[in-house]
């Protein structure tokens, strides 16, 4: 049995919140491991811009799955 759109939206919303929380912790962890704060200001800016936008890809896939109409 497949999920209804309402069920997908509930599950997707929870998954989205978890994704963003886990992603934020990982992005900061990677920054610490790579010692981004010791790099040049430009490198630090580039890292945070890329890291700040990268979560949009999985979130977009999740949202399109949530929006899929019922069979």
């Amino acid at each position: 049995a497949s999920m209804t759109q309402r069920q997908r939206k509930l599950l997707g919303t929870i998954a989205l919140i978890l994704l963003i929380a886990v992603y934020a912790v990982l992005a900061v962890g990677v920054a610490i491991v790579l010692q981004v704060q010791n790099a040049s200001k430009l490198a630090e800016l580039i890292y945070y811009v890329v890291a700040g936008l990268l979560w949009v890809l999985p979130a977009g896939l999740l949202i399109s799955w949530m929006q899929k109409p019922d069979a």
Side-chain angles (χ1 to χ4, degrees):
S2 66
M3 282 195 257
T4 64
Q5 187 178 36
R6 183 180 173 125
Q7 291 169 323
R8 280 194 305 274
K9 284 184 179 181
L10 174 63
L11 196 63
T13 300
I14 294 166
L16 205 52
I17 292 166
L18 287 172
L19 167 75
I20 293 169
V22 169
Y23 183 84
V25 170
L26 286 174
V28 170
V30 168
I32 291 168
V33 169
L34 296 179
Q35 297 186 340
V36 171
Q37 70 275 12
N38 294 340
S40 70
K41 289 297 169 199
L42 180 62
E44 190 177 6
L45 176 69
I46 291 168
Y47 173 79
Y48 283 113
V49 167
V50 170
L53 294 173
L54 214 54
W55 67 273
V56 173
L57 297 171
L61 293 172
L62 191 55
I63 290 168
S64 65
W65 172 77
M66 289 163 60
Q67 298 295 333
K68 199 168 59 173
D70 292 336

